């Protein structure tokens, strides 16, 4: 597996396929993408997992973490998350956080994030805010 920084044009097709297959690829572009840090995991030169980090005021926010369905539950997302947390040491981020799907809090707990909010719903999906100090 290869873990690397990538550009937004590499991220969008996988984001689209995994997160919003019923929308247009352009819908998958979010505000701040042009300034975010984008990461990918490759297996046999195929991009199988992406994540984007938005750094603002000492906070590093994980957004749009997506793994191909056939590659989920194989440790790829965990490897990418570990890589990102290591790389954030080179940035001015003091805190790492995300809106985690309630069904996926386990991965974040393993990396030391704690729930900081009551559950909330976005687009029919339940989430909680999770964070940790860096």
């Amino acid at each position: 597996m290869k873990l690397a920084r990538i550009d937004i044009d590499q991220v969008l097709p996988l984001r689209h396929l995994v997160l919003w297959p019923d929308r247009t690829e352009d819908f998958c572009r979010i505000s701040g993408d042009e300034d975010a840090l984008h990461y990918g995991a490759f297996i046999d030169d195929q991009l199988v997992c992406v994540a984007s980090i938005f750094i603002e005021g000492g906070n590093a926010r994980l957004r749009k973490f997506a793994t191909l369905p056939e590659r989920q539950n194989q440790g790829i997302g965990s490897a990418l998350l570990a890589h990102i947390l290591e790389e954030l040491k080179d940035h001015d981020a003091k805190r790492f956080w995300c809106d985690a799907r309630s069904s996926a809090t386990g991965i974040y707990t393993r990396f030391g994030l704690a729930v900081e909010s009551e559950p909330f719903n976005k687009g029919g999906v339940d989430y909680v805010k999770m964070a940790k100090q860096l």
Side-chain angles (χ1 to χ4, degrees), residues 4-25:
R5 287 271 305 271
I6 59 176
D7 64 46
I8 186 59
D9 292 327
Q10 291 172 283
V11 170
L12 286 174
L14 188 61
R15 237 192 229 175
H16 177 239
L17 179 69
V18 176
L19 301 177
W20 294 291
D22 57 333
R23 302 290 188 124
T24 66
E25 188 173 294

Side-chain angles (χ1 to χ4, degrees), residues 20-130:
W20 294 291
D22 57 333
R23 302 290 188 124
T24 66
E25 188 173 294
D26 196 49
F27 175 85
C28 301
R29 191 178 295 273
I30 58 175
S31 177
D33 264 338
E34 60 282 348
D35 298 318
L37 304 174
H38 304 286
Y39 294 88
F42 296 83
I43 295 179
D44 298 327
D45 294 324
Q46 179 190 19
L47 183 61
V48 298
C49 180
V50 296
S52 299
I53 304 294
F54 296 76
I55 300 175
E56 184 176 321
N59 292 297
R61 181 180 183 189
L62 171 68
R63 297 191 70 191
K64 311 309 174 209
F65 194 9
T67 304
L68 287 175
E70 64 271 20
R71 293 294 191 166
Q72 293 177 5
N73 301 309
Q74 297 175 14
I76 298 165
S78 292
L80 187 59
L81 190 53
H83 177 77
I84 289 167
L85 288 168
E86 186 63 30
E87 283 221 345
L88 284 175
K89 292 177 182 178
D90 296 333
H91 296 274
D92 291 331
K94 305 289 186 244
R95 184 170 176 270
F96 180 74
W97 73 281
C98 67
D99 289 340
R101 287 178 183 240
S102 295
S103 62
T105 58
I107 186 175
Y108 302 111
T109 301
R110 287 193 302 274
F111 284 92
L113 281 78
V115 174
E116 292 190 345
S117 75
E118 294 296 320
F120 58 95
N121 190 283
K122 289 193 296 187
V125 178
D126 290 328
Y127 291 85
V128 291
K129 185 176 188 177
M130 297 186 75

